[in-house]
Amino acid sequence: MDALIQLSDVTKRYDAGGHPAVDRVSLTVAPGEAVAVMGPSGSGKSTLLNLIAGLDRPTSGTVTVAGQRIDTLSETGVARFRRQRIGMIFQFFNLLDDLTVADNVLLPAQLSGLRAAQARARTAELLAALRIDRHADAFPARLSGGERQRVAIARALVNRPVLLLADEPTGALDTATGEEIGELLRDLNSSGQTMVLVTHNPDLAARYARRTVHIVDGQVRSDVVIGSSTDLAGQVLP
Amino acid sequence: MIRGPVSRAVRGGLTRRRVQTIVIGLVLLISTGASVLALAIVVDSNAPFDHAFAAQHGADEVASIDSAKATAAQLAATSKLPVVTAASGPFAEVTVAADISATPGCTPGPGNPCLIGGSLPPMTLVGRATLGGQVDDLTLQSGHWATKPGQVVLDGSGSGPEVGLPLGARLVITSAPGKPTLTVVGIASSITGSAAGWVAPSEIFGLSPRGAPASAQMLYRFKAAGSSAELTADMAAVARALPVGAVSGSQSYLAAKAQESGNIAPFVPFLFAFGVIGMVMSVLIVANVVSSAVVAGYRRIGILKSIGFTPGQVLAAYTGQAAIPAVVGCLGGVLAGNLVAAPVLAQTASAYGVGALAVPVWVDVTVPGVMLCLVGAAAVLPALRAGRLSAVQAIATGRAPRTGRGHIAHRLLGRLALPRPVTIGLAAPFARPARTAVTLVAVLLGAATVTLAVGLSTSLNMVVTALSHAKAQPVQVFDPAGSGAGGGLVHIKGPGGPQPPAISPAAAQRAIEAALRAQPGTLHYVAEADQQVSVAGLSQQVPVTAFRGDASWTGYDMVTGHWYTGPGQVDVSAGFLTLTGDSVGGTITILSGSRQVTARIVGEVFQGGPQLITDWQTLAAVQPGLAANKFDLGLRPGTSEAAYIQGLQSRLGQQYPVVSNQRNSTVVDLMIGLIGTLTLLLTIVAGLGVLNTVVLHTRERVHDLGVFKAVGMTPRQTIAMVVCWVAGIGLIAGLIAVPAGIFLHGVVLPAMANAADVGLPSNLLNVYHPVEIAVLALAGLAIAVAGSLLPASWAAATRTASVLHAE
Ligand SMILES: Nc1ncnc2c1ncn2[C@@H]1O[C@H](COP(=O)(O)OP(=O)(O)OP(=O)(O)O)[C@@H](O)[C@H]1O
Ligand SMILES: [Mg+2]
């Protein structure tokens, strides 16, 4: 199968013997999909996303992304993998306060050794597309929440990742701004960007993602595909 | 001391800042240990002399009196002078030349050395009725006091060749009419070396050379005797009270003291420099830790206050965090200092005969006391700020994002064509100017210490080479039959020792010179005679070296003036100038027996102790039978020293030892070892200061580190970035440290030379060469990188995923 993400029986325990944060999860995501992950607070959504991004390692099970086993990669290997294949956005933006907007966006390209001219061109293109080019030389602290999240999205996309991971990208934004970011993400998906989106907001999930995975206590409770335009089997777990 | 909530808050702080706790402990351990060691050596360099001087009521001045010019009554009256607290004398004195008579019928064997004869350099004998006295209360080491004619008691603590003669040895006084014989009946010691030997007062007149002026010595203790200026004034008062010319010379206890403690005195300047540097670094590092804990803990302080902590309790909680590891470190340092000092002091004591030494108790108490006070002040200041902060203000300050600072640096550095992790790292120090400054000073001090240490070691090695002349004259040949103090005196013989050759000295020397000319590889050679002479105005004998022929190549470094160019000229050491108060350009009168010659001082040579160097003719004028005891040889370039020595030895035969002129100085080796050890310790302290800064920074930047990780920074890039946080500081500190270290070298080395009473040739100061300077300039960078690698790898290995999801 040409899956982009393949989790097999993944378990993550923070404390040996304690309750697992992610409990025997198997999940497959195909290229081009937009998956919303939902669940109560503390159910293991962020943990799951970290495992996919290679920011954390599973206690057991395997994580394969874009054909690569990332649970067995070295720290350096996983960092390279991340900057080439993955873009991440967060609820609280996680921009670097000391760097300008443009420098924040440039950073992943610079870390992966892209030539300076190319990196600048790509950054300018993204800043323009996300309508934040006039803030290029400003520092993140001066920007509004929505603008900051756009900078984060630009930074996530600068290396043309195959997978975009978003952890409650609208959680810190007011409703209108949240909608705006949601639209942006949907447009990205329409143009072929695979993404996994963690959200508390059922509305957002329903409107912008065709597939919704429900997690409770670290286990997948349901995995629903809405609409018929997909060849993936939609199933409802008991 | 601290109870309840405060102690719990302290413990909470300690466990959360384990690295800083360890750093404070280690830094104080090292600097306390080093200071204890340094101070112990400094103190013990003076203690043995001071003790003995007090116990023996040592004479502040020993005055030589021309007996013809002052009556006994006039001399006795000087004890009533207001400046004088005690006086003793007059004791008749005489300078004699003596031969040792061979033990008749003695067969040398193991444990049964025999005297085989030999001549002693001129020595001063004093007629004294008793051992004790108000001044210069002699200590009898063995035997008994000289009470009968024909008996002599020798000074066992002196430096002349007569030291070591056993009881029962017999001296033939060749300078006195009828060549009377004296038998050694006792060995005593005078702390100031007021005489080489003592005889019964009635004996002295029979020992005087015919026609020699009668002379006596007066021993004085003064009210004010702390400095040579005071002593000079005191002696002037004595001289004024007596007829003109009655005081023909005098010698202060300072010379004896310098001789006793001279080996350790040069340690004082560099130990002082290193000690001060260590203390400053400790204070900086502790201040850095505590103020960072306060800054990082603003929110915590606010919370502590909002739940009812008083300012005093907050102060206690934050100083307590530093106080506990500081006290533990200090105590450990005292222990370590004592452990290290024991062998160092033992080595010093045994090598230089200054008695058993231990770290004085007051040093063990004072050093940690001072350290803790300084560190306490460094901790209390930032903690006071924490105590005064209002709860609301503290919580707000802790939360507010820092903006503005460092932005320009980031922008400018971002333009550089360097990898991004490097430029981000380099910009970091600008966000925390105070911490950056403290770290910079700590690294600067560490790197300056390295520069200083390298310079001192180079200079000291050059000193040893210069003093041994090993470079210019790598090989020496000894003639046991020659006269003089150096090689001529073989008065005690065990089995198998060199036999004096059966031919005349002159014939022997012709034979040696013929062999030297014939031996391939000889570049040049010169005959040397080492003798002791008197100098007008000085009561003690002075070593003199005379060369036969050109000796300007023998490797004496000139401090000022020039090498002698003919008869009547003399080069002297700084020690001689100090002793006499003369200077280059002045004239001295050299006396030996009843002869005298005047010579002009034309230069100061680099040599320890009092020393005269002159040409053959000048010394032969007062010592007509002068014979060389040694030949100094320079070799042609490319000649193998070992092969040369072997070849010459077989040509000369065993009776003339051919030796390699080795660099040999235990004192300097000890110094270099100590400098190396202290430098290592101080650079470790500087490195710990860096480590501390990096850990503090990592703590603050843990969120940023998580972000860097999330966007794909590899561990190696993370390490590079973290190292660059301090690499720029290290580089700049290193660049400043080189001139600072060179400056310190220019202060410390002359101070050491001054303490050792030697002048300093300029080549010993100019030891820093461009290549060395370039390497030394990187010392700061090296310290910074070494200190940051460990915390950088911690930062690279930390899992930071969870901070990304929290605010
Ligand atoms: N670094 C960590 N160490 C220990 N336990 C952790 C860590 N991170 C998360 N957990 C625990 O793992 C479980 C899952 O946490 P996770 O953050 O994945 O939940 P979540 O679904 O993202 O919650 P939320 O919606 O509140 O963000 C929780 O019980 C949490 O306490
Ligand atoms: Mg979460």
Side-chain angles (χ1 to χ4, degrees):
Chain A
M1 201 210 284
D2 267 334
L4 185 64
I5 306 173
Q6 172 99 55
L7 302 187
S8 307
D9 217 15
V10 170
T11 298
K12 172 69 186 179
R13 265 178 232 277
Y14 286 107
D15 326 289
H19 192 77
V22 168
D23 193 3
R24 286 165 293 155
V25 168
S26 293
L27 191 68
T28 307
V29 177
E33 267 194 295
V35 180
V37 178
M38 298 192 66
S41 186
S43 56
K45 306 180 296 288
S46 296
T47 304
L48 187 70
L49 223 55
N50 285 344
L51 291 172
I52 297 171
L55 281 170
D56 223 331
R57 285 170 199 277
T59 314
S60 66
T62 64
V63 181
T64 310
V65 178
Q68 201 156 21
R69 273 284 297 274
I70 59 166
D71 52 303
T72 53
L73 279 179
S74 69
E75 276 300 310
T76 306
V78 89
R80 291 217 174 94
F81 157 80
R82 196 156 49 233
R83 72 191 177 200
Q84 273 149 22
R85 304 276 176 202
I86 306 243
M88 292 190 84
I89 47 183
F90 304 90
Q91 179 177 4
F92 298 107
F93 325 123
N94 282 335
L95 298 175
L96 294 160
D97 292 333
D98 289 339
L99 302 183
T100 62
V101 164
D103 283 342
N104 263 284
V105 176
L106 269 171
L107 184 64
Q110 291 169 320
L111 288 179
S112 56
L114 196 66
R115 282 198 291 113
Q118 250 175 303
R120 274 180 212 294
R122 171 72 177 153
T123 301
E125 175 191 316
L126 281 170
L127 291 179
L130 291 164
R131 290 176 287 116
I132 39 173
D133 42 345
R134 65 199 171 91
H135 297 301
D137 290 328
F139 287 91
R142 294 235 314 269
L143 271 54
S144 73
E147 286 167 335
R148 285 191 220 183
Q149 196 58 296
R150 271 183 242 243
V151 176
I153 292 172
R155 187 178 67 184
L157 295 176
V158 73
N159 281 342
R160 302 180 201 277
V162 293
L163 178 61
L164 188 63
L165 302 175
D167 195 345
E168 300 190 31
T170 61
L173 303 173
D174 61 60
T175 319
T177 320
E179 299 254 319
E180 213 180 291
I181 295 295
E183 290 292 341
L184 196 56
L185 293 177
R186 194 171 61 174
D187 290 350
L188 276 170
N189 178 239
S190 311
S191 59
Q193 178 71 57
T194 313
M195 61 177 72
V196 177
L197 175 79
V198 169
T199 180
H200 274 301
N201 186 342
D203 239 23
L204 191 75
R207 258 197 284 164
Y208 304 116
R210 275 186 225 128
R211 183 179 170 195
T212 306
V213 175
H214 264 271
I215 295 190
V216 179
D217 280 345
Q219 291 178 326
V220 176
R221 274 294 154 79
S222 71
D223 187 344
V224 182
V225 181
I226 299 164
S228 55
S229 62
T230 173
D231 52 353
L232 272 167
Q235 42 174 301
V236 180
L237 297 178
Chain B
M1 38 171 219
I2 328 167
R3 273 203 221 114
V6 177
S7 89
R8 262 193 298 282
V10 168
R11 261 182 281 131
L14 287 182
T15 44
R16 218 132 12 90
R17 292 174 204 288
R18 203 175 308 137
V19 179
Q20 279 101 307
T21 306
I22 293 171
V23 165
I24 292 185
L26 269 182
V27 162
L28 277 153
L29 187 145
I30 292 174
S31 36
T32 307
S35 302
V36 165
L37 173 65
L39 197 57
I41 290 176
V42 169
V43 169
D44 281 345
S45 71
N46 291 318
F49 182 88
D50 290 345
H51 285 163
F53 191 77
Q56 294 194 13
H57 308 291
D60 291 330
E61 287 274 359
V62 177
S64 282
I65 307 292
D66 185 341
S67 305
K69 295 193 176 145
T71 65
Q74 283 173 323
L75 290 172
T78 56
S79 67
K80 302 283 185 295
L81 287 170
V83 293
V84 176
T85 56
S88 183
F91 304 118
E93 69 174 8
V94 63
T95 301
V96 299
D99 280 347
I100 300 162
S101 46
T103 321
C106 176
T107 328
N112 182 32
C114 297
L115 295 177
I116 60 164
S119 59
L120 290 172
M123 55 195 276
T124 305
L125 294 182
V126 166
R128 244 175 99 161
T130 58
L131 180 72
Q134 257 193 306
V135 182
D136 199 24
D137 190 2
L138 306 178
T139 321
L140 193 66
Q141 291 175 341
S142 62
H144 60 84
W145 191 246
T147 48
K148 296 198 182 75
Q151 295 185 338
V152 65
V153 172
L154 293 180
D155 182 6
S157 60
S159 56
E162 72 278 4
V163 174
L165 283 177
L167 292 182
R170 291 182 312 142
L171 304 180
V172 180
I173 308 301
T174 53
S175 55
K179 300 195 177 175
T181 299
L182 295 176
T183 305
V184 178
V185 295
I187 306 290
S189 77
S190 158
I191 181 69
T192 55
S194 55
W198 297 270
V199 294
S202 58
E203 189 82 348
I204 209 85
F205 303 101
L207 298 173
S208 306
R210 231 185 297 275
S215 178
Q217 76 175 197
M218 283 294 294
L219 309 171
Y220 291 104
R221 281 172 72 85
F222 296 112
K223 275 207 184 77
S227 67
S228 70
E230 285 174 344
L231 288 165
T232 308
D234 292 334
M235 271 319 292
V238 170
R240 273 197 306 275
L242 292 171
V244 176
V247 178
S248 60
S250 73
Q251 192 186 331
S252 82
Y253 76 99
L254 291 175
K257 178 170 177 161
Q259 213 159 21
E260 278 278 318
S261 56
N263 286 311
I264 311 184
F267 283 71
V268 176
F270 78 80
L271 288 178
F272 182 77
F274 283 34
V276 169
I277 290 175
M279 285 203 186
V280 173
M281 285 210 288
S282 312
V283 167
L284 287 177
I285 288 166
V286 170
N288 201 10
V289 168
V290 176
S291 63
S292 302
V294 169
V295 169
Y298 270 153
R299 254 176 74 77
R300 198 162 162 266
I301 294 168
I303 294 165
L304 288 180
K305 289 196 139 183
S306 68
I307 59 174
F309 270 60
T310 65
Q313 283 174 317
V314 172
L315 178 73
Y318 275 81
T319 46
Q321 286 185 18
I324 291 169
V327 169
V328 172
C330 273
L331 294 181
V334 169
L335 198 69
N338 279 272
L339 287 179
V340 178
V344 172
L345 293 179
Q347 197 179 347
T348 315
S350 73
Y352 311 114
V354 284
L357 299 172
V359 177
V361 175
W362 70 266
V363 170
D364 281 342
V365 175
T366 309
V367 170
V370 169
M371 274 299 191
L372 286 176
C373 285
L374 287 174
V375 161
V380 163
L381 292 180
L384 266 181
R385 190 164 64 143
R388 288 218 203 88
L389 225 54
S390 86
V392 178
Q393 194 190 342
I395 294 176
T397 316
R399 270 236 170 117
R402 298 183 320 275
T403 51
R405 268 191 241 157
H407 285 169
I408 297 170
H410 267 290
R411 248 186 224 178
L412 293 178
L413 284 163
R415 303 241 165 88
L416 296 180
L418 288 170
R420 197 63 181 126
V422 171
T423 54
I424 290 177
L426 290 177
F430 295 93
R432 284 242 167 264
R435 183 184 301 163
T436 298
V438 166
T439 312
L440 189 116
V441 174
V443 177
L444 194 157
L445 289 174
T449 308
V450 172
T451 300
L452 171 64
V454 167
L456 285 181
S457 310
T458 312
S459 299
L460 288 172
N461 270 315
M462 288 168 72
V463 164
V464 179
T465 310
L467 290 181
S468 69
H469 315 291
K471 228 185 209 145
Q473 23 163 316
V475 180
Q476 295 176 326
V477 177
F478 285 87
D479 179 359
S483 55
L489 186 80
V490 187
H491 57 69
I492 298 181
K493 180 186 177 300
Q499 294 286 341
I503 53 173
S504 79
Q509 304 215 336
R510 278 195 299 277
I512 294 174
E513 291 192 32
L516 293 180
R517 277 193 298 272
Q519 182 69 26
T522 309
L523 176 64
H524 35 211
Y525 66 86
V526 66
E528 172 178 338
D530 299 299
Q531 292 286 342
Q532 301 264 335
V533 289
S534 301
V535 170
L538 277 189
S539 61
Q540 78 182 83
Q541 299 273 316
V542 179
V544 58
T545 295
F547 291 106
R548 191 165 58 206
D550 176 29
S552 54
W553 54 269
T554 45
Y556 285 85
D557 283 328
M558 299 304 300
V559 179
T560 52
H562 63 82
W563 188 248
Y564 67 86
T565 52
Q569 296 185 1
V570 61
D571 288 296
V572 303
S573 65
F576 179 84
L577 295 177
T578 316
L579 209 57
T580 61
D582 279 323
S583 55
V584 174
T587 304
I588 56 168
T589 305
I590 301 171
L591 312 157
S592 188
S594 56
R595 296 165 199 270
Q596 67 177 59
V597 63
T598 53
R600 197 160 54 82
I601 303 172
V602 294
E604 180 189 335
V605 291
F606 180 62
Q607 194 69 19
Q611 173 79 43
L612 299 176
I613 296 165
T614 187
D615 81 324
W616 198 263
Q617 210 178 315
T618 312
L619 186 58
V622 289
Q623 299 192 345
L626 192 63
N629 54 285
K630 196 159 110 180
F631 288 81
D632 303 316
L633 317 184
L635 303 188
R636 283 184 198 287
T639 309
S640 150
E641 191 185 308
Y644 181 91
I645 290 177
Q646 210 175 11
L648 185 61
Q649 189 71 79
S650 61
R651 193 183 289 270
L652 278 170
Q654 290 306 316
Q655 73 265 41
Y656 304 113
V658 180
V659 299
S660 167
N661 187 8
Q662 296 285 339
R663 82 179 277 291
N664 167 33
S665 177
T666 335
V667 190
V668 173
D669 289 345
L670 193 66
M671 269 187 207
I672 292 176
L674 208 55
I675 288 172
T677 310
L678 291 173
T679 304
L680 183 69
L681 291 179
L682 291 184
T683 46
I684 289 175
V685 170
L688 285 172
V690 171
L691 183 138
N692 177 49
T693 294
V694 173
V695 169
L696 294 173
H697 218 81
T698 310
R699 232 169 241 291
E700 286 175 12
R701 294 301 176 104
V702 69
H703 181 259
D704 283 4
L705 283 170
V707 175
F708 283 123
K709 233 177 194 189
V711 299
M713 189 176 267
T714 62
R716 199 180 291 222
Q717 287 173 321
T718 310
I719 291 177
M721 179 179 74
V722 174
V723 168
C724 285
W725 285 350
V726 287
I729 298 176
L731 190 63
I732 292 169
L735 292 178
I736 308 173
V738 170
I742 294 176
F743 171 78
L744 279 179
H745 178 260
V747 174
V748 172
L749 189 68
M752 290 169 73
N754 197 31
D757 203 5
V758 292
L760 207 56
S762 58
N763 66 327
L764 289 181
L765 270 173
N766 305 328
V767 292
Y768 295 99
H769 305 299
V771 179
E772 257 169 2
I773 289 176
V775 173
L776 286 172
L778 297 177
L781 184 63
I783 291 173
V785 171
S788 60
L789 269 178
L790 195 62
S793 66
W794 294 338
T798 343
R799 299 214 160 271
T800 46
S802 50
V803 304
L804 295 170
H805 304 284
E807 179 73 329

